Amino acid sequence: MNYLKKGMYALMFITAISCSKDDDGETVLESISGLDFTISVENDKGNEIGVTPTSDLSSNVQYSIDFADDAASDDADVLLSSGPKAKYTYPEASATYTIVVTASASGYADTTVSKEVVVEFVGSTILADFENPSALNLRDDLGDGATITIESQTGADGSTTNVGVITNVGLPYEAPSINLTSHIDVRNKSVITMDFYQSEAVAQVVLMKLEQKLTDNEASKPSIEVKVDTAAESGWQTLTFDYGTEATNSYTDWGDHNQEVVLDQYQKMVIFVGFGVELSGTFWVDNIAGGELGDPVPDTDGDGVMDSIDKCKDLSGTEANGCNPAVVGVDPTDDFEGNGNITWVGDNAGADVVDNPYPTGINTSAKVMKYNDTGAQYANIRFDLADGGLFDLSTKNVVKVKVYVPSPDVAHTESTTLWLKLQDGTSNEPWASQTQVSQVYEYDKWQVLTFDFSAASDVTNYNRLLFQFNGENNYEPVTAYIDDISYGAPVNPNDDNEGAGNITWLGDNAGADVVDNPYSTGINTSAKVMKYNDTGAQYANIQFTLSEGQTFDLADKAIFKVKVYVPTPATAHAESKILWLKLQDGTSSEPWNGQVVVENAYEYDTWTELTFDFSANAATTNFNRVVLQFNGENNYEPLEAYIDDFKYVAE
């Protein structure tokens, strides 16, 4: 943009006096001839002005340049020069100023020339002020690391503003990203600033990376980054990222980190707080500004999802992230008895099927897999889905595995943790976009660990599952045993009778109807409840069955809870006031054979929450049906009851 309008310089006057005598015969000094100056704009904002004075004198001339800024104090707007350019920064506002240049030289009269300059201030491009969240397409790019959210803050004057909130969990390289609908162009305006708030007065390394060049449109191509150190101060401060002078190439291009930087347009901005440091905590960012907005970010597959956030930008689909879920892999499973469909690969760790050395507790099977890490830095075992398959985390996002870790001969300093990581095994950097979940294990016992990847339910390019005991950068040897790998949907039946449940109830000689709560008191004032209406049938009950293929993992979660209200019957009952909860194998032709029952007593005319604990049946894995039955079987007494807030929980 041309910040100086043509024709806006007004030459005010040039004084030229020859050396002569006046009427009184006194000598008058000659003026300095040829006095002039040029004006130039020195910064992107248009408010830094350069003045280069010239005259016919080639030496021994001094120029005083008055930039005529009334807001300046102590003549800060008056600069001296012997001829080189002098620069002055005006306030950040458009205005007209009259610049006056005075030339002085021994033997000459001071000579003055002035010109008007119109300063057209151009504020920095606002990239993210968090006032319009939908335009930012915020992403938590590096798996279970930093998250970014938006919160509203109220100022002292009562006004509100939005700010970005970055929360680190303590990984060395964790970062969220901002994905605008237009490229961030730093070719002509290469400085980006960001307001940053920290609650502790500690210097941090903050890195801002720009990824996916317009000319490449690939995340794996060279990106650029600038690192800055924050001041060791608490509160707000402004950080400046100058890509024109400070940028280096990111390591993501697998090339020389110090190769020449060629500025371009970029789709994605990634912000690391505490780059390379295991820093946990919450930090606030706002008013990210600079560069320019360039070309629109493309939508290669035309599915309405721009490439920077499209997990499969070359394949149109109907998923929220633009992916076509057509290629879904066969559910991976392995019991190490020859019934699995997984091909394991050990990466600095053995992955061998062996006799179960600890056939106790919940796992008495004959064969298990031995995980043997002798102390490698990044030891793990893993598998990829066959035939180009992908994990469909939108419907199935839970992985379960039985684990036994014997106490090591030498006590470990690392925590007893198993990490499961989902990755894109086709990538050159499968760890860069991974999602990881960890669970703590105990020594010397078989236990079921459950890994919930529902937070990544919109990711559709994962085809690899990696197991890693005790984390990375860990040189302690680990021997462990795993068994019975399963992958499926979460088993979480619940019903509040307000429409948020996921249970389909069936009445077996008992009604199971949602009605208005007739006893909105005590611990249950919700609007809707379920009415259980047994008119006197011998085996009356209500029940539900899990989705096909699902079973209750009682080693992981063994508790059922339900709120109950039973009004005093018109005719006193002979049977005990008891609610039975039964677990059955609904695939059996005789599901009552092998069932387990837990009972609880209730009181009339009060809402009570009853808890049914099946932890004694932790080793049983074929139950998929729940039966609720008031007052037992072979009971012909009619009964009216109300139930609410049924849930299945870990404890």
Side-chain angles (χ1 to χ4, degrees):
M1 177 182 291
N2 184 3
Y3 302 103
L4 303 177
K5 296 181 179 178
K6 283 189 176 180
M8 294 307 294
Y9 303 145
L11 182 62
M12 300 301 289
F13 60 86
I14 300 178
T15 303
I17 304 175
S18 301
C19 184
S20 62
K21 295 181 181 295
D22 63 12
D23 293 341
D24 296 328
E26 294 184 4
T27 300
V28 178
L29 293 176
E30 181 181 359
S31 64
I32 299 172
S33 64
L35 177 60
D36 197 3
F37 62 89
T38 59
I39 298 174
S40 57
V41 178
E42 300 297 323
N43 68 347
D44 295 340
K45 297 180 179 181
N47 66 327
E48 184 181 23
I49 298 299
V51 168
T52 305
T54 58
S55 69
D56 290 341
L57 289 181
S58 59
S59 61
N60 300 320
V61 60
Q62 183 73 28
Y63 300 100
S64 172
I65 305 167
D66 186 350
F67 286 88
D69 179 9
D70 293 338
S73 60
D74 299 328
D75 293 328
D77 59 336
V78 179
L79 305 180
L80 299 178
S81 172
S82 60
K85 181 188 296 183
K87 300 178 183 180
Y88 181 76
T89 302
Y90 286 102
E92 294 186 344
S94 296
T96 300
Y97 301 91
T98 300
I99 299 176
V100 180
V101 174
T102 300
S104 301
S106 178
Y108 290 87
D110 286 354
T111 307
T112 300
V113 63
S114 63
K115 295 179 182 179
E116 276 190 351
V117 59
V118 176
V119 172
E120 291 185 348
F121 174 71
V122 179
S124 298
T125 301
I126 300 299
L127 301 177
D129 61 7
F130 301 96
E131 300 303 323
N132 183 13
S134 63
L136 302 180
N137 297 292
L138 303 177
R139 292 291 187 273
D140 305 326
D141 274 30
L142 299 184
D144 273 358
T147 60
I148 184 167
T149 56
I150 294 176
E151 72 176 29
S152 179
Q153 294 186 344
T154 302
D157 60 355
S159 63
T160 60
T161 185
N162 287 347
V163 297
V165 183
I166 296 176
T167 303
N168 281 7
V169 300
L171 301 178
Y173 301 101
E174 51 182 330
S177 70
I178 297 173
N179 303 271
L180 306 178
T181 56
S182 295
H183 284 79
I184 300 169
D185 188 346
V186 291
R187 292 174 297 177
N188 299 314
K189 297 182 179 181
S190 57
V191 174
I192 295 177
T193 59
M194 179 178 73
D195 291 344
F196 177 82
Y197 182 97
Q198 58 185 13
S199 56
E200 297 183 7
V202 179
Q204 311 289 1
V205 177
V206 179
L207 181 142
M208 182 182 290
K209 180 188 292 187
L210 301 181
E211 294 183 347
Q212 292 178 249
K213 291 167 57 178
L214 172 67
T215 51
D216 296 312
N217 194 23
E218 292 290 346
S220 61
K221 298 296 182 180
S223 53
I224 58 174
E225 58 191 35
V226 172
K227 286 190 292 186
V228 299
D229 294 323
T230 71
E233 302 171 356
S234 61
W236 285 102
Q237 55 186 286
T238 299
L239 308 181
T240 299
F241 303 86
D242 190 340
Y243 291 89
T245 60
E246 302 296 332
T248 56
N249 279 283
S250 170
Y251 282 115
T252 56
D253 65 347
W254 292 94
D256 181 3
H257 188 60
N258 296 311
Q259 64 184 280
E260 180 185 2
V261 172
V262 178
L263 300 182
D264 204 323
Q265 302 185 57
Y266 298 86
Q267 292 183 11
K268 180 182 296 187
M269 173 189 294
V270 184
I271 301 171
F272 295 82
V273 180
F275 182 77
V277 179
E278 294 180 352
L279 173 67
S280 61
T282 300
F283 308 89
W284 290 261
V285 295
D286 200 6
N287 301 321
I288 304 176
E292 296 177 294
L293 292 178
D295 294 358
V297 174
D299 174 14
T300 300
D301 53 18
D303 58 9
V305 181
M306 61 185 187
D307 286 355
S308 61
I309 60 174
D310 195 337
K311 298 300 182 181
C312 46
K313 65 183 181 60
D314 297 316
L315 181 63
S316 179
T318 58
E319 293 289 301
N321 60 1
C323 286
N324 188 332
V327 184
V328 176
V330 174
D331 291 351
T333 181
D334 206 340
D335 64 1
F336 305 105
E337 311 291 336
N339 300 315
N341 57 11
I342 295 174
T343 300
W344 292 91
V345 176
D347 186 359
N348 291 311
D352 303 308
V353 177
V354 299
D355 292 335
N356 184 353
Y358 305 101
T360 59
I362 64 171
N363 191 21
T364 58
S365 64
K367 298 290 186 179
V368 296
M369 174 175 281
K370 182 179 182 180
Y371 176 104
N372 188 29
D373 165 18
T374 57
Q377 185 177 12
Y378 299 106
N380 63 78
I381 61 174
R382 64 176 189 263
F383 66 85
D384 291 354
L385 295 180
D387 302 323
L390 300 169
F391 288 100
D392 182 4
L393 300 175
S394 65
T395 60
K396 298 179 180 180
N397 44 50
V398 173
V399 178
K400 294 186 178 183
V401 59
K402 291 178 182 174
V403 171
Y404 190 106
V405 183
S407 295
D409 294 334
V410 178
H412 284 183
T413 59
E414 295 292 333
S415 60
T416 52
T417 303
L418 172 60
W419 290 87
L420 262 60
K421 304 179 181 183
L422 287 174
Q423 298 178 341
D424 176 4
T426 67
S427 169
N428 289 329
E429 293 182 321
W431 55 87
S433 59
Q434 71 185 7
T435 294
Q436 54 191 11
V437 176
S438 65
Q439 291 288 352
V440 174
Y441 60 82
E442 298 178 40
Y443 288 132
D444 305 319
K445 64 178 290 188
W446 280 107
Q447 60 231 260
V448 175
L449 302 183
T450 300
F451 298 82
D452 185 348
F453 288 94
S454 58
S457 60
D458 63 341
V459 182
T460 59
N461 65 332
Y462 290 143
N463 69 331
R464 174 174 293 173
L465 185 60
L466 181 147
F467 290 66
Q468 188 171 57
F469 282 88
N470 296 15
E472 298 184 345
N473 292 308
N474 172 23
Y475 296 93
E476 293 175 324
V478 179
T479 297
Y481 300 89
I482 65 176
D483 202 7
D484 296 333
I485 310 293
S486 66
Y487 163 66
V491 177
N492 185 33
N494 65 91
D495 202 346
D496 64 359
N497 298 303
E498 309 290 338
N502 57 9
I503 295 174
T504 300
W505 292 95
L506 296 176
D508 186 358
N509 291 307
D513 303 308
V514 176
V515 299
D516 292 336
N517 185 354
Y519 303 102
S520 181
T521 60
I523 64 170
N524 190 20
T525 58
S526 63
K528 299 288 185 179
V529 296
M530 176 175 286
K531 182 178 181 180
Y532 177 104
N533 189 27
D534 167 16
T535 58
Q538 183 179 12
Y539 300 106
N541 65 75
I542 63 173
Q543 59 187 254
F544 70 86
T545 304
L546 297 176
S547 300
E548 184 177 356
Q550 288 191 328
T551 58
F552 291 107
D553 183 355
L554 300 176
D556 179 42
K557 294 200 310 187
I559 305 295
F560 296 85
K561 294 188 176 187
V562 63
K563 292 176 183 174
V564 171
Y565 188 105
V566 183
T568 300
T571 302
H573 285 185
E575 295 292 336
S576 300
K577 298 181 298 215
I578 293 175
L579 174 59
W580 284 356
L581 195 150
K582 305 177 180 182
L583 296 182
Q584 299 177 343
D585 178 2
T587 65
S588 170
S589 59
E590 294 183 336
W592 53 87
N593 285 330
Q595 72 181 7
V596 292
V597 182
V598 174
E599 65 178 39
N600 269 300
Y602 60 81
E603 297 294 329
Y604 288 138
D605 305 319
T606 182
W607 279 106
T608 306
E609 185 172 60
L610 304 180
T611 299
F612 300 84
D613 186 349
F614 288 89
S615 56
N617 307 102
T620 307
T621 59
N622 65 328
F623 292 139
N624 67 341
R625 176 174 293 170
V626 170
V627 177
L628 291 179
Q629 189 172 56
F630 283 88
N631 295 12
E633 296 182 345
N634 293 308
N635 171 20
Y636 296 91
E637 294 176 323
L639 182 135
E640 178 182 292
Y642 299 89
I643 66 174
D644 203 11
D645 297 334
F646 182 93
K647 53 189 175 183
Y648 172 52
V649 296
E651 59 182 20

